Amino acid sequence: MAKAAEQRQADRSIRPTRTSVFKSVFAKSVFTGIGDDCAVLRLRPGQESLVTTDFSLEGIHFRRDWHPPESVGHRCLTRGLSDIAAMGGEPVAAFLSLALPRDLPQSWVGRFARGLINLAEKYGVTLAGGDTAESPGGILADIVVIGTAPKGKSVLRSGARPGDRIFVSGALGGSAAAVAEMGSGLKNENKNKKLNPSNYRRHFYPEPRIELGRVLREKGLASAMIDTSDGLSTDLAHLCEESGVGAELDAALIPRARVGKLSKKVDLDLALHGGEDYELLFTVRAGKRIPAQIAGVALTEVGHITRGPKIFLWIPRNMVHELKPRGWQHFQR
């Protein structure tokens, strides 16, 4: 009985906000959403469904003493939206399941929902359903995002070929720099060290590159694509594995984020291996022209695809070494 009451209490704390966003950003593809046993989606003819799911786990992807609830909600949805962007798709609906500790204040849940819903409204995504339950430990959030792309036109990881050029959007390492800075507080016994989110927006409020991915797909520019959720070295390895190729990167070309109050450029190691930047990493056939920006996002050529299978990094003075995937391990103990 107590467990059922807690679930009802958690559901009451988020239902008004979910219902509000369902009414305010109702997508044409969502025929029936919250209120029935299932959502009913009606996709346009000639469209394929894109489906992705991601966990956000307390202590792994966020900490309550480091991250405002709005940031946790924003980042939760960003994870799914970024996957849709990496396929060149357009998001339609999201489904959120939450497992919440008994003692979690309802105000935290409301602020979490506000952060998620603000991002959903920005990209016209309907929160079409989900579930709530009591968690015996920390907070667990599972987001499922549904998107669409024209039939046969989704940009896959498997399309890269030798000679293709490698591009990345934005700048890298900003999110990992924030985690490293907050983690330094633990080492210095300053466990309550908090950062100003405005100085580390790529960590606290990352923007999925939906419009960029859509343009790359529509114009046929990207031969293969992936988002940098796990870090450049790891995600490039994923793309190369699926395409059966290798790669060479130029360390001097990799765009490194500027973070903090003094806008300091992050170390190359963080730009190579830090995750959760949610930028797009994509390949382009030789001869195709890529502008300096698309949808207001800077694009940088950082290397080229080889016959492989290894990935190499060129560093100043013409030195080269194999680049192993060392994606960021968040909050690793």
Side-chain angles (χ1 to χ4, degrees):
M1 293 294 291
K3 183 176 180 180
E6 178 66 21
Q7 290 182 11
R8 288 194 297 271
Q9 181 183 34
D11 191 60
R12 281 197 301 270
S13 68
I14 195 171
R15 176 172 288 275
T17 316
R18 291 190 307 188
T19 303
S20 173
V21 74
F22 175 70
K23 291 179 179 178
S24 62
V25 295
F26 188 86
K28 293 181 180 179
S29 297
V30 181
F31 180 72
T32 301
I34 292 175
D36 276 274
D37 291 303
C38 294
V40 179
L41 306 183
R42 290 180 176 174
L43 304 182
R44 298 191 304 270
Q47 297 286 306
E48 292 179 331
S49 299
L50 306 178
V51 184
T52 182
T53 181
D54 284 284
F55 266 125
S56 290
L57 307 176
E58 184 174 6
I60 302 296
H61 302 102
F62 70 92
R63 292 173 54 128
R64 271 184 272 172
D65 54 340
W66 287 357
H67 296 86
E70 294 87 350
S71 169
V72 180
H74 180 108
R75 284 159 48 86
C76 176
L77 181 57
T78 295
R79 295 169 66 82
L81 292 181
S82 187
D83 287 338
I84 300 296
M87 304 290 286
E90 298 187 47
V92 172
F95 299 83
L96 172 68
S97 293
L98 285 172
L100 307 171
R102 179 184 296 271
D103 60 352
L104 185 69
Q106 289 189 30
S107 60
W108 192 99
V109 181
R111 292 173 62 191
F112 166 92
R114 194 178 310 128
L116 187 148
I117 287 166
N118 285 344
L119 186 63
E121 288 181 330
K122 181 174 182 178
Y123 291 102
V125 177
T126 297
L127 186 57
D131 195 15
T132 55
E134 181 181 328
S135 166
I139 300 166
L140 295 85
D142 179 46
I143 193 79
V144 177
V145 179
I146 310 295
T148 64
K151 188 175 181 179
K153 298 298 184 180
S154 297
V155 185
L156 308 180
R157 300 178 181 182
S158 56
R161 299 292 180 265
D164 286 3
R165 293 166 293 152
I166 302 171
F167 286 79
V168 68
S169 67
L172 304 177
S175 182
V179 176
E181 184 68 19
M182 291 184 289
S184 69
L186 295 178
K187 296 178 182 178
N188 298 329
E189 297 184 355
N190 182 13
K191 296 183 178 181
N192 293 321
K193 184 174 184 177
K194 293 185 178 180
L195 301 180
N196 184 344
S198 64
N199 295 330
Y200 294 86
R201 287 201 62 84
R202 291 303 297 168
H203 176 74
F204 289 98
Y205 296 98
E207 284 294 327
R209 302 304 192 186
I210 298 293
E211 181 65 10
L212 170 60
R214 183 187 64 80
V215 172
L216 291 172
R217 186 257 304 159
E218 282 187 345
K219 295 185 177 297
L221 297 176
S223 55
M225 189 154 59
I226 190 173
D227 74 328
T228 61
S229 54
D230 294 328
L232 176 61
S233 64
T234 297
D235 290 314
L236 180 57
H238 291 326
L239 187 150
C240 287
E241 180 180 8
E242 292 299 318
S243 293
V245 296
E248 290 186 2
L249 296 179
D250 187 335
L253 298 179
I254 294 171
R256 293 151 56 186
R258 292 185 176 274
V259 298
K261 189 174 181 179
L262 300 178
S263 191
K264 181 181 177 182
K265 187 178 289 188
V266 304
D267 293 339
L268 177 62
D269 193 64
L270 292 181
L272 287 171
H273 308 296
E276 293 192 330
D277 285 314
Y278 301 110
E279 297 292 351
L280 294 183
L281 173 67
F282 60 97
T283 58
V284 177
R285 296 282 190 257
K288 286 197 174 183
R289 180 183 174 276
I290 298 296
Q293 289 189 353
I294 292 179
V297 181
L299 304 177
T300 305
E301 185 174 351
V302 295
H304 62 274
I305 295 295
T306 64
R307 295 190 179 279
K310 295 182 179 181
I311 300 173
F312 293 95
L313 178 70
W314 287 88
I315 56 179
R317 299 180 183 177
N318 290 324
M319 297 180 64
V320 62
H321 66 83
E322 185 177 353
L323 181 65
K324 297 285 188 179
R326 292 196 290 114
W328 185 263
Q329 298 297 314
H330 298 278
F331 313 118
Q332 188 178 35
R333 291 179 175 83

